[in-house]
Amino acid sequence: MSGRKLILCCLVWAGVAGCHPAEKPLPRIAIAGLGIESSTFSPALTDEAAFHARYGSDVFGNYPFMSADSPLRKRAVWIPTIVGHSLPGGAVMREAYESLMGKMLDSLKKNGPYDGLYFDIHGAMSVVGLDDPEGDMISRIRAVVGKATIISTSMDLHGNVSQRLAQNTDLITVYRLAPHEDAIQTKERAVRELVERLESGKGKPAYKAWVPIPVLLPGEKTSTRIEPARSVFGSIDTTLAEDGVLDGGIWVGYPWADEPRNHAVVMVTGDDRSRVSQAAERLARRFWDARLGYAFVALTKPWTECLDSALASHKHPFFISDMGDNPTAGGAGDVTWTLNQLLARPEFRRPDGPSLIYASIPGPDLVRKAIAAGVGGHVDGYAGAVVDSRYSPPAHLVGTVESIVTGDRDAEVEVVVRIGSLHVIVTQKRKPYHKEVDFTRLGLQPRKTDIVVVKIGYLEPELYAMRADWIMALTPGGVDQDIEHLTYKRIERPMFPFDREMKDPDLSARLIASSDSR
Ligand SMILES: [Zn+2]
């Protein structure tokens, strides 16, 4: 029966979970997944609360395309179980992962059977003492839902696709853009394709091609804002359409974890064997051939040169990315190295010195003191270097409290401390600053500030649009962008860029066994 007939039937029988007994019932689709990218080069650990897990119908709040009156929502009986997404961070504690998985699997056991399952993950989770957590997660889900259920997975292009994940999923898709302006669109596509395969009766795609590419690069070198990634990733949709396949994409992979699965991958799904293989090989070849061209998305320099350039510049606001401890890539977010460098500079000692915002440093003790002092009060205390003190000790902040704002989901409490001409944002818990409102709600005016230093890698769209100039600083931390200096023990070799003289790899498509065949 066609999808349209199904919908008509259900409009007639509105309010009933299913259709007329004579008609084919709506497909039953579960939703589950946990997402984080976690650095194993950071001493930070991630707990269960960090996932802000949503349960049952609250899960729909993650997906604007699944609002109560959306057309997609009406095409299936949905059984959301648990979906949690954490800010990037350190490895997930094993007990946190097991607790969340226990709840997910219990809920799936209770509410089955399922025609389909939407698996919403990032793909770069590290769990203490466990390899390939997303492969583990989907295997355990598969063991509960059975072989017949069609699983559709959506991922971040900085995630990893192990063969175990590839085998257990049936449909798979991934963001095409970094920064990820197409995140919601990608999730919607994963859900819509799943519904369409169920409605049409086509079921699982017959073929899944997987091509490992021996390249490991940080996201800051593969931003799709610039070449060659702009063209390589920009060609995905046309390649898939020309070859008449279902979906697929290119995964850059995640460089701050040390497992055999950490490398780039291409995957394509569809019903025609040779077209699926051909599309995967074309994409893999394009990504590999461009390898020498991937470069940092903005000018990149050591810290002192960045700050000297910003101080000498007439372009304001001048943004500096403090990259090494970027919490949105998995840094602890409390490395004080850069802040201590700033505090030591004489230029900022007087209130009429060059204005600079530093965003941000976690410091719960200092936040407590600031609350006690109140806005306008004097504060003297320490912030940062509780989780990651490898590079610099806690920062000693002595200044005036300019604002105190509570209620942010990540930071919980944010305080602005003015020290000379510096405005330092101190948070209860770590928080990335991506948007203009993140600053203005604290009473700060980044557009009228000379220099804005943000713990971030590439600038997210609003800050990118605001910048008069921008340099990315190579600073120390758990997500050091200079990955050739990291000590890897378990990634596959040879691997670009570590083995630059390596021979051309085998980029032929590996056909992955169907999830039916286990
Ligand atoms: Zn990403």
Side-chain angles (χ1 to χ4, degrees), residues 151-444:
I151 299 184
S152 179
T153 302
S154 70
M155 294 178 68
D156 185 299
L157 60 82
H158 302 120
N160 311 293
V161 189
S162 67
Q163 287 206 52
R164 184 161 55 149
L165 172 57
Q167 203 216 321
N168 280 288
T169 195
D170 301 296
L171 302 163
I172 191 162
T173 195
V174 60
Y175 307 160
R176 320 270 196 243
L177 296 175
H180 308 315
E181 292 164 74
D182 61 337
I184 291 298
Q185 187 189 339
T186 304
K187 289 167 193 256
E188 191 266 345
R189 189 169 67 243
V191 174
R192 184 169 33 78
E193 284 171 359
L194 174 60
V195 171
E196 283 168 4
R197 296 295 291 198
L198 287 165
E199 285 176 347
S200 67
K202 286 184 180 167
K204 300 179 180 184
Y207 297 99
K208 295 180 281 187
W210 180 85
V211 187
I213 310 168
V215 171
L216 191 59
L217 290 171
E220 277 62 26
K221 284 192 171 176
T222 47
S223 168
T224 58
R225 274 196 190 124
I226 57 164
E227 296 298 348
R230 191 207 308 250
S231 296
V232 172
F233 286 79
S235 76
I236 294 173
D237 283 329
T238 3
T239 303
L240 298 179
E242 277 167 17
D243 284 318
V245 298
L246 184 58
D247 207 333
I250 305 172
W251 284 255
V252 173
Y254 182 67
W256 295 289
D258 188 13
E259 283 188 46
R261 69 171 188 164
N262 293 96
H263 53 76
V265 158
V266 161
M267 203 168 159
V268 172
T269 58
D271 296 312
D272 182 295
R273 182 183 171 129
S274 66
R275 284 166 178 262
V276 164
S277 298
Q278 183 182 311
E281 288 171 7
R282 284 168 69 189
L283 292 176
R285 170 58 58 186
R286 217 168 283 147
F287 184 81
W288 168 257
D289 285 348
R291 70 194 176 283
L292 295 172
Y294 296 116
F296 284 117
V297 63
L299 189 60
T300 302
K301 290 184 180 179
W303 166 255
T304 307
E305 285 177 42
C306 289
L307 186 60
D308 290 345
S309 302
L311 284 167
S313 176
H314 297 295
K315 295 181 181 170
H316 304 299
F318 195 118
F319 277 81
I320 302 177
S321 295
D322 177 10
M323 291 199 290
D325 183 39
N326 172 13
T328 64
D334 83 335
V335 172
T336 51
W337 188 89
T338 307
L339 179 55
N340 279 329
Q341 296 279 319
L342 282 169
L343 291 167
R345 293 283 295 230
E347 293 92 335
F348 304 108
R349 299 244 165 93
R350 292 165 48 95
D352 59 354
S355 57
L356 185 146
I357 297 172
Y358 185 78
S360 59
I361 194 79
D365 285 347
L366 193 116
V367 165
R368 202 161 34 244
K369 286 184 174 175
I371 291 170
V375 172
H378 179 78
V379 72
D380 180 340
Y382 290 85
V386 171
V387 179
D388 195 345
S389 61
R390 294 175 295 174
Y391 313 98
S392 191
H396 187 196
L397 303 179
V398 183
T400 309
V401 179
E402 287 215 331
S403 67
I404 303 170
V405 175
T406 57
D408 183 77
R409 166 185 142 133
D410 295 313
E412 295 180 1
V413 187
E414 298 159 278
V415 167
V416 176
V417 180
R418 177 157 184 158
I419 305 160
S421 63
L422 301 175
H423 289 85
V424 180
I425 303 175
V426 185
T427 57
Q428 177 86 20
K429 293 186 176 173
R430 73 204 172 98
K431 167 186 166 67
Y433 286 74
H434 285 170
K435 299 193 166 165
E436 185 164 5
V437 70
D438 291 338
F439 296 89
T440 53
R441 62 193 282 281
L442 307 179
L444 296 169

